[in-house]
Amino acid sequence: MSEYREKEEVFNEKIENLWSLLMTSKKIAVFTGAGVSTLSGIPDFRGKHGVYNSPWHNLDVETILSYDFFFSHPDIFYKWTEEVWYHLEDYKPNIVHNTLARMEEKGILKEGVFTQNIDFLHQRAGSKKVWELHGSARHSFCTNCNAFYKYEEIAPIVQRGEIPYCDKCGSLIKPDIVLYGENLPMSVLRKAETVFSQADLTLILGSSLTVYPAASLPKLTSYYGGKVVIVNADSTDQDKNATLIFRDLEQTFTAINTFLDQIS
């Protein structure tokens, strides 16, 4: 049993309130972070056991994941990402991914999901509208000719311990993931700013809300008078703005999934 699971008498009242908010809100925004992926077994970055908490072969992980380091040391970059990003086929969507997909299918989530995660588990669960704030490992591109490559083409190369190069021009291939020193995709950021500004309810799921500018998006909901619900193991600096706070994602979404059974 999760150490964050709440006592039933406390949880039951809160989850009834959340379900009421979900049923009465017209525009719901969803923001997901690494905590959602950890339920599927994927290591998170900044949590208690996050990969940022200790160096990798005496190198700071944030340095390895920087734009300049990628080009100067692609061998080290791909050796690290092979362990973390290129075995995503081994992981499966969990109760949060699956429930969010059901909520979209039933018309509760009309704006889809905005995620900091690059593991494309939301899509594999069936979500149709997924806005990837930090990019995705689903695809890569040539840094010279922009040739497009799917995950299934690149993962086997990286898993063999090799650096992927373009088969058209021979240049280095980069995953379509936002590295340190790069800007977030502007079209996704603008879409997010619009959705979170107009939302009457925002769900923050499994995010420490420490990576900016993405972490600033839920603040727009509070600023414009909407309600915010946070489901995250640790406290965040936006807890003070939350209408409801839950600590256990699995407990919360198991309950929501049960409520969804009532909707035809």
Side-chain angles (χ1 to χ4, degrees):
M1 183 179 294
S2 168
E3 62 181 294
Y4 300 104
R5 189 177 180 87
E6 294 183 84
K7 293 181 179 179
E8 292 298 323
E9 58 268 24
V10 176
F11 176 78
N12 288 342
E13 181 178 354
K14 288 166 60 178
I15 199 67
E16 289 281 356
N17 289 336
L18 174 55
W19 183 246
S20 178
L21 287 173
L22 290 172
M23 289 296 92
T24 56
S25 299
K26 295 180 179 179
K27 291 186 177 181
I28 301 172
V30 177
F31 182 93
T32 68
V36 171
S37 297
T38 58
L39 281 181
S40 293
I42 298 176
D44 74 348
F45 286 85
R46 291 178 173 79
K48 188 183 299 184
H49 305 292
V51 297
Y52 282 178
N53 291 345
S54 57
W56 187 84
H57 294 260
N58 296 317
L59 287 169
D60 183 81
V61 173
E62 293 192 23
T63 297
I64 296 172
L65 296 182
S66 68
Y67 185 77
D68 291 340
F69 191 91
F70 167 76
F71 283 100
S72 60
H73 298 89
D75 54 334
I76 297 175
F77 175 90
Y78 274 110
K79 191 170 183 179
W80 184 88
T81 56
E82 186 272 331
E83 295 181 9
V84 182
W85 290 350
Y86 285 99
H87 288 276
L88 294 176
E89 65 276 11
D90 296 339
Y91 303 99
K92 296 180 180 180
N94 59 57
I95 186 66
V96 180
H97 300 111
N98 293 329
T99 301
L100 289 172
R102 288 190 72 195
M103 291 168 70
E104 179 184 333
E105 181 184 8
K106 291 180 179 294
I108 298 171
L109 299 184
K110 297 180 176 65
E111 299 293 346
V113 174
F114 290 82
T115 185
Q116 294 176 294
N117 301 329
I118 56 86
D119 50 42
F120 51 97
L121 287 175
H122 284 297
Q123 291 91 332
R124 287 175 56 192
S127 289
K128 306 299 183 187
K129 296 180 181 179
V130 182
W131 305 88
E132 294 164 318
L133 294 162
H134 293 160
S136 173
R138 282 186 306 155
H139 30 76
S140 301
F141 61 92
C142 173
T143 55
N144 178 52
C145 72
N146 288 320
F148 178 91
Y149 293 88
K150 296 180 180 179
Y151 173 86
E152 292 78 11
E153 297 174 278
I154 300 302
I157 298 171
V158 179
Q159 289 170 6
R160 292 196 300 266
E162 301 173 8
I163 300 171
Y165 290 100
C166 181
D167 56 15
K168 297 176 176 60
C169 73
S171 297
L172 183 63
I173 290 174
K174 177 186 177 296
D176 195 12
I177 295 170
V178 179
L179 302 179
Y180 289 98
E182 289 188 286
N183 294 322
L184 269 62
M186 189 55 65
S187 60
V188 177
L189 192 58
R190 285 175 177 165
K191 172 69 176 179
E193 289 171 346
T194 299
V195 169
F196 284 95
S197 295
Q198 296 177 353
D200 43 17
L201 174 64
T202 282
L203 305 180
I204 301 171
L205 310 175
S207 176
S208 59
L209 298 174
T210 57
V211 180
Y212 287 81
S216 65
L217 293 170
K219 290 183 177 181
L220 294 171
T221 302
S222 299
Y223 181 81
Y224 287 102
K227 293 181 172 64
V228 170
V229 172
I230 297 176
V231 191
N232 192 58
D234 301 314
S235 60
T236 77
D237 66 359
Q238 295 188 38
D239 284 7
K240 59 184 179 294
N241 298 324
T243 299
L244 291 168
I245 297 174
F246 299 84
R247 293 301 177 205
D248 192 300
L249 278 163
E250 186 171 17
Q251 182 185 25
T252 304
F253 275 81
T254 298
I256 294 174
N257 198 47
T258 300
F259 280 124
L260 289 176
D261 293 337
Q262 304 170 12
I263 301 177
S264 58

